[in-house]
Amino acid sequence: MARAERVVAFEAVVTGEPQVAGPAGRQVLLVRARMEVVRRTRVRVPVLLIATDRRWSGLVPSQRVRSTARLTVPRHGELLAAAAVVRGPPQVMGPPSRVQRAAEQVRARLRLAVAELPDDQRGVLPGMVVGDTSRLDARLAEDFRAAGLSHLLVVSGANLAIVIGAVLGMCRFLGVGRRWAPFVAALAVVAFVLVARPEPSVLRAAVMGMIGLLALWSGREKQGLPALCAAVLLLVLIDPSLARSYGFALSVVATAGLLVLAPSWRRRLRRRMPGPPADALAVAAAAQCAVAPLLVMLSGELGVVSIVANLLAAPAVAPATLLGALAAVVAFAEPSLARLIAWPAGLAVGWIIWIARTAADLPYATIGWSAGVLGAFTLVAAGGAVFVVLRWRVARLVGAAVTIGVLVAVIGMRVTAPGWPPPGWALVVCDVGQGDGLVLRAGDERAVVVDAGPEPRPMDRCLRRLGVRAVPMLVVTHPHADHMGGVGGVRRGRKVDMVLTTSRSSGKEVRLVGGLQVRGAVPGQQWSVGDLRLSVLAPPAGPRLALNDDGTAINNASIVLVARRPGFSALLAGDVETEAQRALATDVPPVNVLKVAHHGSRRQDAGFVTAARAPISVISVGRDNDYGHPAPATLALLRRVGARVYRTDQRGDVALVRATRGVSVVTRR
């Protein structure tokens, strides 16, 4: 059925917490479930439900639901029978189980206890305590990822170790003997897993913790590595899908790093520094080094500041976790006391949030690296080379010489290379991934922004690199997430005077531009900002877009602008496709630069492109995107009209600079 993409009626049991995915404005809900009835046929297979209706977010594991979906083959070789794109809201057939109801009550009480904390703390603290990230801001989650602190937002071995340690300490304080204390701690582990949901990292930590408690009860010396191996074997035998889970792999490898690398590193560091700092540095460095190859394989990025960020955040983790858990329990009896307990937990979380944001904002907090198996292999090879260099004296001398040579070369290149932004820049097409984000200079520290990309962070970084502090006009060409999802990045720390939207907008952008003056674009309008002149060519008057309009209708309602300033002109074509381009072809003036419509898709009108007569064409496109952009036919068309093509996926940020003769191009990778 999945291979044939059949539409089916089904019944399923929810097995995981609903998760939000996708860029702002185009988010979907992912719900892990076990499908049990398909077209009146009984089955028992794992599926992934993909929904857009927000009512799916209220489901709790163990609830049975009924709906209709289009089945598709799951990507990435996941151990799923199908991915199911569901239609409309779920038809809930019954309440969750008693255990899951109790777990949800604990999570709800924790949300109540933190309700009066600031928004960021209110989103992070439940994630640290029970893995509840339902209120976590997407931009803040990205900051945690860039800083190497995202492991704090999911329940893992560190959380469970804190809980077990606290329970055993309480048992010791209350006089509970060594024979019974492990049983009390084991009950706490079971309760913790039920509340935090049985995610891969939680299961791994729970099984390993149980094995450790068994060793404590039996009086035998606890061996960490055998306990970890036993936990992995047991869990993979119970649930083979964990063998393909990145979360499970990261959790296991991080723990292995702590067991194998941290002890020897701790001993070496203690020879040169006091014990507590040596322990903290050894633990942070061992965990980060162990997981680095997997993270590179997954993201194609190497974190540079993560060890320091983890060292600074570590002292606040235990207080936040324990006080948050205590607040959740106390909230059942006295909500006002629970809110009082949550206040110092919020202070600890506030420190961690500050560390995450500060580290993420540092230049080169992450650096690009080859993704996939090749990236992991090269990183391991680089680590081996560093080990060899540090171990032998001759290798250290050679390594020092090579390092000094590289530093001299890099510094020389930085001194002689043109800075960023290049002097006289008029337009910068920011590398925002699969989307559009353009900046038109409108004076010192001022710029008009045309679209903002799919995510806030890339757009914010691009504007900071350009020194833009004020945005007299923000143009949202059309209400698609890859053009407006990053509006929050434009507004971060900047004054935005006005927003120009397509006159046919469905209003999806309203929630992103709240509090700002919004105007609709009409053909013939002209705007002046400093020496920058903007002329609106499209869209023509017409009915407003409906929320269910297809992509072509929305693309063809894009704002099309001509930007001019002395010695420079550009045609900014939004995402208009063949039909709208053909209607505009006779109105297109000759320009220096063409921002190719719709990321270089194959739906281009030759007359439109030819009329612009632009010697330079820029395509804003994401690397390895799923759409096949830019299309080979579009690249061939641009070559036929004699345009030089620059792509953000290959060149990074592309700056168009006024030169003595025409316009020159400077790129930044």
Side-chain angles (χ1 to χ4, degrees), residues 108-119 121-123 125-126 135 324 327 338-339 342-343 345-346:
R109 289 291 176 173
L110 178 57
R111 290 193 290 267
L112 177 65
V114 302
E116 295 184 3
L117 295 178
D119 289 346
Q121 297 175 19
R122 192 164 63 230
L125 185 55
R135 296 182 178 179
R339 285 191 286 269
W343 180 73

mmCIF file with all atom_site columns, all heavy atoms in Angstrom, residues 108-119 121-123 125-126 135 324 327 338-339 342-343 345-346:
data_model
loop_
_atom_site.group_PDB
_atom_site.id
_atom_site.type_symbol
_atom_site.label_atom_id
_atom_site.label_alt_id
_atom_site.label_comp_id
_atom_site.label_asym_id
_atom_site.label_entity_id
_atom_site.label_seq_id
_atom_site.pdbx_PDB_ins_code
_atom_site.Cartn_x
_atom_site.Cartn_y
_atom_site.Cartn_z
_atom_site.occupancy
_atom_site.B_iso_or_equiv
_atom_site.pdbx_formal_charge
_atom_site.auth_seq_id
_atom_site.auth_comp_id
_atom_site.auth_asym_id
_atom_site.auth_atom_id
_atom_site.pdbx_PDB_model_num
ATOM 1   N N   . ALA A 1 108 ? 2.033  17.562 33.376 1.00 0.00 ? 108 ALA A N   1
ATOM 2   C CA  . ALA A 1 108 ? 1.162  18.736 33.437 1.00 0.00 ? 108 ALA A CA  1
ATOM 3   C C   . ALA A 1 108 ? 1.416  19.538 34.711 1.00 0.00 ? 108 ALA A C   1
ATOM 4   O O   . ALA A 1 108 ? 1.402  20.778 34.691 1.00 0.00 ? 108 ALA A O   1
ATOM 5   C CB  . ALA A 1 108 ? -0.296 18.298 33.361 1.00 0.00 ? 108 ALA A CB  1
ATOM 6   N N   . ARG A 1 109 ? 1.644  18.848 35.826 1.00 0.00 ? 109 ARG A N   1
ATOM 7   C CA  . ARG A 1 109 ? 1.926  19.540 37.083 1.00 0.00 ? 109 ARG A CA  1
ATOM 8   C C   . ARG A 1 109 ? 3.247  20.307 36.997 1.00 0.00 ? 109 ARG A C   1
ATOM 9   O O   . ARG A 1 109 ? 3.385  21.402 37.545 1.00 0.00 ? 109 ARG A O   1
ATOM 10  C CB  . ARG A 1 109 ? 1.972  18.534 38.236 1.00 0.00 ? 109 ARG A CB  1
ATOM 11  C CG  . ARG A 1 109 ? 0.620  17.966 38.585 1.00 0.00 ? 109 ARG A CG  1
ATOM 12  C CD  . ARG A 1 109 ? -0.273 19.022 39.208 1.00 0.00 ? 109 ARG A CD  1
ATOM 13  N NE  . ARG A 1 109 ? -1.626 18.512 39.462 1.00 0.00 ? 109 ARG A NE  1
ATOM 14  C CZ  . ARG A 1 109 ? -2.555 19.193 40.111 1.00 0.00 ? 109 ARG A CZ  1
ATOM 15  N NH1 . ARG A 1 109 ? -2.284 20.392 40.569 1.00 0.00 ? 109 ARG A NH1 1
ATOM 16  N NH2 . ARG A 1 109 ? -3.758 18.680 40.275 1.00 0.00 ? 109 ARG A NH2 1
ATOM 17  N N   . LEU A 1 110 ? 4.219  19.740 36.314 1.00 0.00 ? 110 LEU A N   1
ATOM 18  C CA  . LEU A 1 110 ? 5.491  20.442 36.139 1.00 0.00 ? 110 LEU A CA  1
ATOM 19  C C   . LEU A 1 110 ? 5.288  21.691 35.287 1.00 0.00 ? 110 LEU A C   1
ATOM 20  O O   . LEU A 1 110 ? 5.834  22.758 35.587 1.00 0.00 ? 110 LEU A O   1
ATOM 21  C CB  . LEU A 1 110 ? 6.523  19.514 35.501 1.00 0.00 ? 110 LEU A CB  1
ATOM 22  C CG  . LEU A 1 110 ? 7.894  20.140 35.211 1.00 0.00 ? 110 LEU A CG  1
ATOM 23  C CD1 . LEU A 1 110 ? 8.512  20.722 36.479 1.00 0.00 ? 110 LEU A CD1 1
ATOM 24  C CD2 . LEU A 1 110 ? 8.832  19.114 34.589 1.00 0.00 ? 110 LEU A CD2 1
ATOM 25  N N   . ARG A 1 111 ? 4.484  21.569 34.221 1.00 0.00 ? 111 ARG A N   1
ATOM 26  C CA  . ARG A 1 111 ? 4.197  22.751 33.403 1.00 0.00 ? 111 ARG A CA  1
ATOM 27  C C   . ARG A 1 111 ? 3.488  23.823 34.224 1.00 0.00 ? 111 ARG A C   1
ATOM 28  O O   . ARG A 1 111 ? 3.724  25.018 34.045 1.00 0.00 ? 111 ARG A O   1
ATOM 29  C CB  . ARG A 1 111 ? 3.356  22.358 32.185 1.00 0.00 ? 111 ARG A CB  1
ATOM 30  C CG  . ARG A 1 111 ? 4.118  21.531 31.152 1.00 0.00 ? 111 ARG A CG  1
ATOM 31  C CD  . ARG A 1 111 ? 3.340  21.444 29.846 1.00 0.00 ? 111 ARG A CD  1
ATOM 32  N NE  . ARG A 1 111 ? 2.142  20.630 29.971 1.00 0.00 ? 111 ARG A NE  1
ATOM 33  C CZ  . ARG A 1 111 ? 2.082  19.338 29.709 1.00 0.00 ? 111 ARG A CZ  1
ATOM 34  N NH1 . ARG A 1 111 ? 3.163  18.693 29.293 1.00 0.00 ? 111 ARG A NH1 1
ATOM 35  N NH2 . ARG A 1 111 ? 0.945  18.668 29.830 1.00 0.00 ? 111 ARG A NH2 1
ATOM 36  N N   . LEU A 1 112 ? 2.608  23.398 35.142 1.00 0.00 ? 112 LEU A N   1
ATOM 37  C CA  . LEU A 1 112 ? 1.927  24.344 36.015 1.00 0.00 ? 112 LEU A CA  1
ATOM 38  C C   . LEU A 1 112 ? 2.912  25.014 36.972 1.00 0.00 ? 112 LEU A C   1
ATOM 39  O O   . LEU A 1 112 ? 2.841  26.230 37.214 1.00 0.00 ? 112 LEU A O   1
ATOM 40  C CB  . LEU A 1 112 ? 0.837  23.614 36.810 1.00 0.00 ? 112 LEU A CB  1
ATOM 41  C CG  . LEU A 1 112 ? 0.065  24.445 37.842 1.00 0.00 ? 112 LEU A CG  1
ATOM 42  C CD1 . LEU A 1 112 ? -0.738 25.538 37.152 1.00 0.00 ? 112 LEU A CD1 1
ATOM 43  C CD2 . LEU A 1 112 ? -0.847 23.545 38.669 1.00 0.00 ? 112 LEU A CD2 1
ATOM 44  N N   . ALA A 1 113 ? 3.852  24.241 37.501 1.00 0.00 ? 113 ALA A N   1
ATOM 45  C CA  . ALA A 1 113 ? 4.816  24.782 38.461 1.00 0.00 ? 113 ALA A CA  1
ATOM 46  C C   . ALA A 1 113 ? 5.723  25.835 37.838 1.00 0.00 ? 113 ALA A C   1
ATOM 47  O O   . ALA A 1 113 ? 6.161  26.768 38.513 1.00 0.00 ? 113 ALA A O   1
ATOM 48  C CB  . ALA A 1 113 ? 5.651  23.650 39.059 1.00 0.00 ? 113 ALA A CB  1
ATOM 49  N N   . VAL A 1 114 ? 6.018  25.691 36.544 1.00 0.00 ? 114 VAL A N   1
ATOM 50  C CA  . VAL A 1 114 ? 6.940  26.630 35.886 1.00 0.00 ? 114 VAL A CA  1
ATOM 51  C C   . VAL A 1 114 ? 6.194  27.711 35.115 1.00 0.00 ? 114 VAL A C   1
ATOM 52  O O   . VAL A 1 114 ? 6.819  28.489 34.390 1.00 0.00 ? 114 VAL A O   1
ATOM 53  C CB  . VAL A 1 114 ? 7.901  25.873 34.938 1.00 0.00 ? 114 VAL A CB  1
ATOM 54  C CG1 . VAL A 1 114 ? 8.682  24.816 35.691 1.00 0.00 ? 114 VAL A CG1 1
ATOM 55  C CG2 . VAL A 1 114 ? 7.145  25.250 33.758 1.00 0.00 ? 114 VAL A CG2 1
ATOM 56  N N   . ALA A 1 115 ? 4.882  27.780 35.278 1.00 0.00 ? 115 ALA A N   1
ATOM 57  C CA  . ALA A 1 115 ? 4.062  28.681 34.450 1.00 0.00 ? 115 ALA A CA  1
ATOM 58  C C   . ALA A 1 115 ? 4.434  30.143 34.622 1.00 0.00 ? 115 ALA A C   1
ATOM 59  O O   . ALA A 1 115 ? 4.252  30.945 33.700 1.00 0.00 ? 115 ALA A O   1
ATOM 60  C CB  . ALA A 1 115 ? 2.577  28.475 34.768 1.00 0.00 ? 115 ALA A CB  1
ATOM 61  N N   . GLU A 1 116 ? 4.960  30.531 35.791 1.00 0.00 ? 116 GLU A N   1
ATOM 62  C CA  . GLU A 1 116 ? 5.269  31.933 36.037 1.00 0.00 ? 116 GLU A CA  1
ATOM 63  C C   . GLU A 1 116 ? 6.723  32.287 35.743 1.00 0.00 ? 116 GLU A C   1
ATOM 64  O O   . GLU A 1 116 ? 7.138  33.431 35.962 1.00 0.00 ? 116 GLU A O   1
ATOM 65  C CB  . GLU A 1 116 ? 4.923  32.290 37.485 1.00 0.00 ? 116 GLU A CB  1
ATOM 66  C CG  . GLU A 1 116 ? 3.428  32.188 37.775 1.00 0.00 ? 116 GLU A CG  1
ATOM 67  C CD  . GLU A 1 116 ? 3.082  32.628 39.185 1.00 0.00 ? 116 GLU A CD  1
ATOM 68  O OE1 . GLU A 1 116 ? 4.002  33.058 39.911 1.00 0.00 ? 116 GLU A OE1 1
ATOM 69  O OE2 . GLU A 1 116 ? 1.892  32.539 39.554 1.00 0.00 ? 116 GLU A OE2 1
ATOM 70  N N   . LEU A 1 117 ? 7.501  31.328 35.270 1.00 0.00 ? 117 LEU A N   1
ATOM 71  C CA  . LEU A 1 117 ? 8.884  31.619 34.888 1.00 0.00 ? 117 LEU A CA  1
ATOM 72  C C   . LEU A 1 117 ? 8.906  32.331 33.536 1.00 0.00 ? 117 LEU A C   1
ATOM 73  O O   . LEU A 1 117 ? 7.927  32.279 32.785 1.00 0.00 ? 117 LEU A O   1
ATOM 74  C CB  . LEU A 1 117 ? 9.691  30.320 34.799 1.00 0.00 ? 117 LEU A CB  1
ATOM 75  C CG  . LEU A 1 117 ? 9.896  29.530 36.094 1.00 0.00 ? 117 LEU A CG  1
ATOM 76  C CD1 . LEU A 1 117 ? 10.673 28.251 35.800 1.00 0.00 ? 117 LEU A CD1 1
ATOM 77  C CD2 . LEU A 1 117 ? 10.625 30.371 37.125 1.00 0.00 ? 117 LEU A CD2 1
ATOM 78  N N   . PRO A 1 118 ? 9.998  33.010 33.192 1.00 0.00 ? 118 PRO A N   1
ATOM 79  C CA  . PRO A 1 118 ? 10.116 33.594 31.847 1.00 0.00 ? 118 PRO A CA  1
ATOM 80  C C   . PRO A 1 118 ? 9.945  32.538 30.759 1.00 0.00 ? 118 PRO A C   1
ATOM 81  O O   . PRO A 1 118 ? 10.179 31.341 30.994 1.00 0.00 ? 118 PRO A O   1
ATOM 82  C CB  . PRO A 1 118 ? 11.536 34.183 31.842 1.00 0.00 ? 118 PRO A CB  1
ATOM 83  C CG  . PRO A 1 118 ? 11.851 34.436 33.284 1.00 0.00 ? 118 PRO A CG  1
ATOM 84  C CD  . PRO A 1 118 ? 11.148 33.347 34.047 1.00 0.00 ? 118 PRO A CD  1
ATOM 85  N N   . ASP A 1 119 ? 9.570  32.988 29.566 1.00 0.00 ? 119 ASP A N   1
ATOM 86  C CA  . ASP A 1 119 ? 9.221  32.061 28.486 1.00 0.00 ? 119 ASP A CA  1
ATOM 87  C C   . ASP A 1 119 ? 10.317 31.044 28.209 1.00 0.00 ? 119 ASP A C   1
ATOM 88  O O   . ASP A 1 119 ? 10.047 29.848 28.073 1.00 0.00 ? 119 ASP A O   1
ATOM 89  C CB  . ASP A 1 119 ? 8.909  32.843 27.204 1.00 0.00 ? 119 ASP A CB  1
ATOM 90  C CG  . ASP A 1 119 ? 7.600  33.594 27.304 1.00 0.00 ? 119 ASP A CG  1
ATOM 91  O OD1 . ASP A 1 119 ? 6.824  33.300 28.230 1.00 0.00 ? 119 ASP A OD1 1
ATOM 92  O OD2 . ASP A 1 119 ? 7.349  34.475 26.465 1.00 0.00 ? 119 ASP A OD2 1
ATOM 93  N N   . GLN A 1 121 ? 12.833 29.954 30.101 1.00 0.00 ? 121 GLN A N   1
ATOM 94  C CA  . GLN A 1 121 ? 12.999 29.001 31.200 1.00 0.00 ? 121 GLN A CA  1
ATOM 95  C C   . GLN A 1 121 ? 11.825 28.029 31.248 1.00 0.00 ? 121 GLN A C   1
ATOM 96  O O   . GLN A 1 121 ? 12.000 26.843 31.544 1.00 0.00 ? 121 GLN A O   1
ATOM 97  C CB  . GLN A 1 121 ? 13.124 29.755 32.519 1.00 0.00 ? 121 GLN A CB  1
ATOM 98  C CG  . GLN A 1 121 ? 14.347 30.655 32.604 1.00 0.00 ? 121 GLN A CG  1
ATOM 99  C CD  . GLN A 1 121 ? 14.377 31.478 33.874 1.00 0.00 ? 121 GLN A CD  1
ATOM 100 O OE1 . GLN A 1 121 ? 13.693 31.164 34.861 1.00 0.00 ? 121 GLN A OE1 1
ATOM 101 N NE2 . GLN A 1 121 ? 15.166 32.556 33.885 1.00 0.00 ? 121 GLN A NE2 1
ATOM 102 N N   . ARG A 1 122 ? 10.628 28.547 30.961 1.00 0.00 ? 122 ARG A N   1
ATOM 103 C CA  . ARG A 1 122 ? 9.425  27.705 30.963 1.00 0.00 ? 122 ARG A CA  1
ATOM 104 C C   . ARG A 1 122 ? 9.501  26.634 29.881 1.00 0.00 ? 122 ARG A C   1
ATOM 105 O O   . ARG A 1 122 ? 8.921  25.558 30.029 1.00 0.00 ? 122 ARG A O   1
ATOM 106 C CB  . ARG A 1 122 ? 8.204  28.599 30.758 1.00 0.00 ? 122 ARG A CB  1
ATOM 107 C CG  . ARG A 1 122 ? 6.890  27.924 31.008 1.00 0.00 ? 122 ARG A CG  1
ATOM 108 C CD  . ARG A 1 122 ? 5.771  28.916 31.170 1.00 0.00 ? 122 ARG A CD  1
ATOM 109 N NE  . ARG A 1 122 ? 5.549  29.696 29.965 1.00 0.00 ? 122 ARG A NE  1
ATOM 110 C CZ  . ARG A 1 122 ? 5.467  31.015 29.934 1.00 0.00 ? 122 ARG A CZ  1
ATOM 111 N NH1 . ARG A 1 122 ? 5.613  31.726 31.027 1.00 0.00 ? 122 ARG A NH1 1
ATOM 112 N NH2 . ARG A 1 122 ? 5.245  31.656 28.807 1.00 0.00 ? 122 ARG A NH2 1
ATOM 113 N N   . GLY A 1 123 ? 10.221 26.907 28.798 1.00 0.00 ? 123 GLY A N   1
ATOM 114 C CA  . GLY A 1 123 ? 10.348 25.915 27.736 1.00 0.00 ? 123 GLY A CA  1
ATOM 115 C C   . GLY A 1 123 ? 11.449 24.909 27.984 1.00 0.00 ? 123 GLY A C   1
ATOM 116 O O   . GLY A 1 123 ? 11.327 23.741 27.613 1.00 0.00 ? 123 GLY A O   1
ATOM 117 N N   . LEU A 1 125 ? 13.101 24.060 31.157 1.00 0.00 ? 125 LEU A N   1
ATOM 118 C CA  . LEU A 1 125 ? 13.116 23.269 32.394 1.00 0.00 ? 125 LEU A CA  1
ATOM 119 C C   . LEU A 1 125 ? 12.357 21.944 32.271 1.00 0.00 ? 125 LEU A C   1
ATOM 120 O O   . LEU A 1 125 ? 12.894 20.896 32.664 1.00 0.00 ? 125 LEU A O   1
ATOM 121 C CB  . LEU A 1 125 ? 12.577 24.108 33.556 1.00 0.00 ? 125 LEU A CB  1
ATOM 122 C CG  . LEU A 1 125 ? 12.641 23.447 34.942 1.00 0.00 ? 125 LEU A CG  1
ATOM 123 C CD1 . LEU A 1 125 ? 14.052 23.010 35.273 1.00 0.00 ? 125 LEU A CD1 1
ATOM 124 C CD2 . LEU A 1 125 ? 12.114 24.402 36.012 1.00 0.00 ? 125 LEU A CD2 1
ATOM 125 N N   . PRO A 1 126 ? 11.119 21.898 31.730 1.00 0.00 ? 126 PRO A N   1
ATOM 126 C CA  . PRO A 1 126 ? 10.472 20.586 31.567 1.00 0.00 ? 126 PRO A CA  1
ATOM 127 C C   . PRO A 1 126 ? 11.253 19.645 30.657 1.00 0.00 ? 126 PRO A C   1
ATOM 128 O O   . PRO A 1 126 ? 11.235 18.427 30.853 1.00 0.00 ? 126 PRO A O   1
ATOM 129 C CB  . PRO A 1 126 ? 9.107  20.946 30.955 1.00 0.00 ? 126 PRO A CB  1
ATOM 130 C CG  . PRO A 1 126 ? 8.857  22.353 31.370 1.00 0.00 ? 126 PRO A CG  1
ATOM 131 C CD  . PRO A 1 126 ? 10.205 23.002 31.355 1.00 0.00 ? 126 PRO A CD  1
ATOM 132 N N   . ARG A 1 135 ? 6.989  23.314 24.799 1.00 0.00 ? 135 ARG A N   1
ATOM 133 C CA  . ARG A 1 135 ? 6.955  24.777 24.857 1.00 0.00 ? 135 ARG A CA  1
ATOM 134 C C   . ARG A 1 135 ? 8.304  25.403 24.487 1.00 0.00 ? 135 ARG A C   1
ATOM 135 O O   . ARG A 1 135 ? 8.497  26.598 24.685 1.00 0.00 ? 135 ARG A O   1
ATOM 136 C CB  . ARG A 1 135 ? 6.551  25.241 26.256 1.00 0.00 ? 135 ARG A CB  1
ATOM 137 C CG  . ARG A 1 135 ? 5.140  24.818 26.653 1.00 0.00 ? 135 ARG A CG  1
ATOM 138 C CD  . ARG A 1 135 ? 4.797  25.347 28.029 1.00 0.00 ? 135 ARG A CD  1
ATOM 139 N NE  . ARG A 1 135 ? 3.432  24.998 28.420 1.00 0.00 ? 135 ARG A NE  1
ATOM 140 C CZ  . ARG A 1 135 ? 2.887  25.329 29.589 1.00 0.00 ? 135 ARG A CZ  1
ATOM 141 N NH1 . ARG A 1 135 ? 3.593  26.013 30.469 1.00 0.00 ? 135 ARG A NH1 1
ATOM 142 N NH2 . ARG A 1 135 ? 1.652  24.981 29.872 1.00 0.00 ? 135 ARG A NH2 1
ATOM 143 N N   . GLY A 1 324 ? 13.508 20.916 39.725 1.00 0.00 ? 324 GLY A N   1
ATOM 144 C CA  . GLY A 1 324 ? 12.379 20.759 38.814 1.00 0.00 ? 324 GLY A CA  1
ATOM 145 C C   . GLY A 1 324 ? 11.564 19.523 39.132 1.00 0.00 ? 324 GLY A C   1
ATOM 146 O O   . GLY A 1 324 ? 10.318 19.555 39.128 1.00 0.00 ? 324 GLY A O   1
ATOM 147 N N   . ALA A 1 327 ? 9.596  20.147 42.276 1.00 0.00 ? 327 ALA A N   1
ATOM 148 C CA  . ALA A 1 327 ? 8.447  21.025 42.015 1.00 0.00 ? 327 ALA A CA  1
ATOM 149 C C   . ALA A 1 327 ? 7.298  20.257 41.396 1.00 0.00 ? 327 ALA A C   1
ATOM 150 O O   . ALA A 1 327 ? 6.124  20.498 41.721 1.00 0.00 ? 327 ALA A O   1
ATOM 151 C CB  . ALA A 1 327 ? 8.879  22.169 41.095 1.00 0.00 ? 327 ALA A CB  1
ATOM 152 N N   . ALA A 1 338 ? 5.094  24.761 44.889 1.00 0.00 ? 338 ALA A N   1
ATOM 153 C CA  . ALA A 1 338 ? 5.818  24.229 43.734 1.00 0.00 ? 338 ALA A CA  1
ATOM 154 C C   . ALA A 1 338 ? 6.392  25.357 42.885 1.00 0.00 ? 338 ALA A C   1
ATOM 155 O O   . ALA A 1 338 ? 7.524  25.268 42.391 1.00 0.00 ? 338 ALA A O   1
ATOM 156 C CB  . ALA A 1 338 ? 4.897  23.348 42.896 1.00 0.00 ? 338 ALA A CB  1
ATOM 157 N N   . ARG A 1 339 ? 5.615  26.427 42.719 1.00 0.00 ? 339 ARG A N   1
ATOM 158 C CA  . ARG A 1 339 ? 6.127  27.564 41.945 1.00 0.00 ? 339 ARG A CA  1
ATOM 159 C C   . ARG A 1 339 ? 7.304  28.221 42.652 1.00 0.00 ? 339 ARG A C   1
ATOM 160 O O   . ARG A 1 339 ? 8.244  28.711 42.003 1.00 0.00 ? 339 ARG A O   1
ATOM 161 C CB  . ARG A 1 339 ? 5.002  28.570 41.708 1.00 0.00 ? 339 ARG A CB  1
ATOM 162 C CG  . ARG A 1 339 ? 4.013  28.118 40.643 1.00 0.00 ? 339 ARG A CG  1
ATOM 163 C CD  . ARG A 1 339 ? 3.075  29.240 40.240 1.00 0.00 ? 339 ARG A CD  1
ATOM 164 N NE  . ARG A 1 339 ? 2.077  29.494 41.274 1.00 0.00 ? 339 ARG A NE  1
ATOM 165 C CZ  . ARG A 1 339 ? 0.899  28.913 41.326 1.00 0.00 ? 339 ARG A CZ  1
ATOM 166 N NH1 . ARG A 1 339 ? 0.559  28.024 40.407 1.00 0.00 ? 339 ARG A NH1 1
ATOM 167 N NH2 . ARG A 1 339 ? 0.040  29.198 42.292 1.00 0.00 ? 339 ARG A NH2 1
ATOM 168 N N   . ALA A 1 342 ? 10.251 26.068 41.976 1.00 0.00 ? 342 ALA A N   1
ATOM 169 C CA  . ALA A 1 342 ? 10.676 26.179 40.577 1.00 0.00 ? 342 ALA A CA  1
ATOM 170 C C   . ALA A 1 342 ? 11.475 27.445 40.306 1.00 0.00 ? 342 ALA A C   1
ATOM 171 O O   . ALA A 1 342 ? 12.216 27.507 39.326 1.00 0.00 ? 342 ALA A O   1
ATOM 172 C CB  . ALA A 1 342 ? 9.451  26.133 39.656 1.00 0.00 ? 342 ALA A CB  1
ATOM 173 N N   . TRP A 1 343 ? 11.338 28.455 41.178 1.00 0.00 ? 343 TRP A N   1
ATOM 174 C CA  . TRP A 1 343 ? 12.034 29.726 40.931 1.00 0.00 ? 343 TRP A CA  1
ATOM 175 C C   . TRP A 1 343 ? 13.557 29.568 40.919 1.00 0.00 ? 343 TRP A C   1
ATOM 176 O O   . TRP A 1 343 ? 14.216 29.986 39.965 1.00 0.00 ? 343 TRP A O   1
ATOM 177 C CB  . TRP A 1 343 ? 11.594 30.764 41.966 1.00 0.00 ? 343 TRP A CB  1
ATOM 178 C CG  . TRP A 1 343 ? 12.277 32.087 41.769 1.00 0.00 ? 343 TRP A CG  1
ATOM 179 C CD1 . TRP A 1 343 ? 12.050 33.008 40.800 1.00 0.00 ? 343 TRP A CD1 1
ATOM 180 C CD2 . TRP A 1 343 ? 13.327 32.613 42.591 1.00 0.00 ? 343 TRP A CD2 1
ATOM 181 N NE1 . TRP A 1 343 ? 12.889 34.081 40.950 1.00 0.00 ? 343 TRP A NE1 1
ATOM 182 C CE2 . TRP A 1 343 ? 13.687 33.868 42.043 1.00 0.00 ? 343 TRP A CE2 1
ATOM 183 C CE3 . TRP A 1 343 ? 14.001 32.154 43.729 1.00 0.00 ? 343 TRP A CE3 1
ATOM 184 C CZ2 . TRP A 1 343 ? 14.683 34.662 42.603 1.00 0.00 ? 343 TRP A CZ2 1
ATOM 185 C CZ3 . TRP A 1 343 ? 14.989 32.951 44.290 1.00 0.00 ? 343 TRP A CZ3 1
ATOM 186 C CH2 . TRP A 1 343 ? 15.321 34.181 43.725 1.00 0.00 ? 343 TRP A CH2 1
ATOM 187 N N   . ALA A 1 345 ? 15.178 26.821 40.406 1.00 0.00 ? 345 ALA A N   1
ATOM 188 C CA  . ALA A 1 345 ? 15.457 25.962 39.251 1.00 0.00 ? 345 ALA A CA  1
ATOM 189 C C   . ALA A 1 345 ? 15.493 26.794 37.978 1.00 0.00 ? 345 ALA A C   1
ATOM 190 O O   . ALA A 1 345 ? 16.334 26.573 37.090 1.00 0.00 ? 345 ALA A O   1
ATOM 191 C CB  . ALA A 1 345 ? 14.406 24.858 39.142 1.00 0.00 ? 345 ALA A CB  1
ATOM 192 N N   . GLY A 1 346 ? 14.593 27.775 37.880 1.00 0.00 ? 346 GLY A N   1
ATOM 193 C CA  . GLY A 1 346 ? 14.591 28.668 36.723 1.00 0.00 ? 346 GLY A CA  1
ATOM 194 C C   . GLY A 1 346 ? 15.860 29.492 36.633 1.00 0.00 ? 346 GLY A C   1
ATOM 195 O O   . GLY A 1 346 ? 16.364 29.761 35.533 1.00 0.00 ? 346 GLY A O   1
#
